Amino acid sequence: MLFIGVLTLLASLFASWLKQFPGFSLFGALIIALLIGMIIQFPIRSAYVGSNDGRKAGVKDAAGLISNKLLRLGIILLGFKLNLAVLFTQGIKCLPIAAVVVTLTIIVCYAIARKLGVDPMLAILTAGGTGICGAAAVMGLAGSIKVSEDKQDEKDNDVTMAVAIVAIMGTVFALLEIALGPLTGMTKDQLGITAGASLHEIAHAVAAGDAFGAVDIATIMKLSRVLMLVFAAIIIAIWWEKKHSEVENTGKKTVAFPWFMLGFIGASIIGTFVPFIAFITPQLVDFAYIVLGMAMAALGINVNFKAIASKGKKPMLASFLTSILLMCFAAGVAVLFF
């Protein structure tokens, strides 16, 4: 546990340092941390695990525990980034748009993925990441979904795959919007709203908004979608329990209610209305990304590349098609209401 904990911490800190450089900033610290974790699994296996089954199981369990527990802590701390006062004043028009965008995107992406034969777990994680806020949404929704112990590895692989898909799609469409946006004749605020309403990661929306000179409105629109993660996680938890959860030995079904989302809401309220917290909010958010980066690196350490290679094409196609529809819809909304 100590060994993997130190490695994931170093991976997260290195990712946070790398994100300041051009190119890396478009991916963000979480995606970089995931990639680092995927890379370092090879020296871990060769130099540390070897043929020792005890160490192999230890690495797997330690990485699994870190990815599971720290993602919840990270999501809670990320709530300090969400200023509710700004959202309910400057972003009042953005909130209903965010609700519609997130709902339609998740439904459409899930439907397309299922039509293509993607399993429900991977389909809903990909849909959530595409519709809400990329990697953080995938991890947040994963915390709402309960699976049996023998399917935990499959779930972890699906989480990693969904994160990789939304990272790729978000980067592609961020570059596409930055290139095509000025050619559309839209105002800078309309371009900012389009970026915030359609791009996957916060880093993508900020990068595109900055390119258009509309980073503030792009960020507000994007954070409005982030707020929808709370409602999406609760609804999906209930839906999953009814449609896909397994009956336990007791014969009872239990909903994997995402209690950590209440922590996310609490952090948002504290960060908004407790005056002295504002002075340390940047540090709390930085710490949140370090914790989430550790969770992402841990996911990368346990990733099964064969599973990703065999199952990744169809959900990526679903996310790609949905992202096209999402970009067009967001642009239409921006022109109509802004």
Side-chain angles (χ1 to χ4, degrees):
M1 177 59 73
L2 179 61
F3 174 63
I4 298 301
V6 170
L7 279 182
T8 54
L9 175 59
L10 291 175
S12 181
L13 292 173
F14 186 56
S16 296
W17 176 74
L18 272 181
K19 74 173 184 179
Q20 66 184 306
F21 296 104
F24 290 106
S25 60
L26 197 59
F27 289 93
L30 299 186
I31 305 303
I32 298 171
L34 174 67
L35 294 174
I36 293 173
M38 293 168 71
I39 293 170
I40 64 175
Q41 70 163 272
F42 296 104
I44 289 173
R45 288 178 182 176
S46 60
Y48 180 74
V49 173
S51 58
N52 189 315
D53 291 337
R55 284 188 173 182
K56 181 179 180 180
V59 166
K60 179 181 176 181
D61 291 345
L65 185 63
I66 288 171
S67 63
N68 184 283
K69 301 301 181 184
L70 291 191
L71 88 84
R72 288 166 170 76
L73 175 59
I75 293 291
I76 291 171
L77 292 172
L78 205 58
F80 288 104
K81 185 181 181 71
L82 196 64
N83 190 307
L84 298 177
V86 173
L87 280 183
F88 289 111
T89 52
Q90 298 177 35
I92 193 66
K93 290 171 66 176
C94 296
L95 289 170
I97 293 172
V100 172
V101 164
V102 168
T103 302
L104 290 179
T105 303
I106 291 176
I107 291 173
V108 170
C109 189
Y110 180 80
I112 294 173
R114 293 293 289 141
K115 279 287 185 181
L116 293 173
V118 180
D119 67 78
M121 171 75 72
L122 181 53
I124 196 61
L125 292 177
T126 302
T130 302
I132 308 173
C133 55
V138 173
M139 298 174 74
L141 295 180
S144 306
I145 296 173
K146 185 177 181 181
V147 298
S148 57
E149 189 174 344
D150 62 315
K151 291 188 177 180
Q152 187 61 48
D153 287 348
E154 182 181 350
K155 177 184 175 181
D156 289 344
N157 287 331
D158 285 349
V159 170
T160 306
M161 202 178 316
V163 167
I165 288 168
V166 295
I168 293 169
M169 288 299 106
T171 303
V172 168
F173 279 86
L175 295 173
L176 191 63
E177 288 191 19
I178 290 171
L180 298 181
L183 306 178
T184 62
M186 297 166 66
T187 67
K188 66 177 185 179
D189 281 352
Q190 289 171 344
L191 291 172
I193 288 293
T194 302
S198 63
L199 295 177
H200 304 55
E201 295 280 349
I202 294 175
H204 297 144
V206 170
D210 185 60
F212 301 140
V215 68
D216 289 342
I217 191 66
T219 303
I220 290 172
M221 184 67 246
K222 183 61 187 178
L223 290 179
S224 298
R225 288 168 67 197
V226 173
L227 181 61
M228 298 302 125
L229 176 59
V230 177
F231 307 104
I234 294 171
I235 293 169
I236 287 172
I238 297 170
W239 166 79
W240 185 267
E241 187 274 335
K242 290 183 176 179
K243 296 290 185 179
H244 301 289
S245 71
E246 300 175 353
V247 179
E248 299 178 351
N249 293 331
T250 59
K252 298 179 181 179
K253 286 187 176 182
T254 57
V255 178
F257 187 84
W259 296 106
F260 62 96
M261 282 299 171
L262 298 181
F264 176 87
I265 296 173
S268 300
I269 294 171
I270 293 171
T272 302
F273 299 108
V274 178
F276 71 88
I277 294 294
F279 295 104
I280 60 170
T281 294
Q283 289 74 28
L284 290 171
V285 173
D286 287 342
F287 183 61
Y289 276 104
I290 290 173
V291 170
L292 285 172
M294 292 178 67
M296 295 293 282
L299 272 176
I301 289 172
N302 274 347
V303 68
N304 185 323
F305 288 98
K306 291 182 180 179
I308 290 179
S310 64
K311 295 173 61 178
K313 295 178 182 178
K314 291 179 179 179
M316 184 171 289
L317 176 59
S319 182
F320 176 72
L321 295 174
T322 306
S323 296
I324 293 175
L325 296 174
L326 176 58
M327 181 176 64
C328 295
F329 180 73
V333 168
V335 172
L336 284 174
F337 297 102
F338 293 86

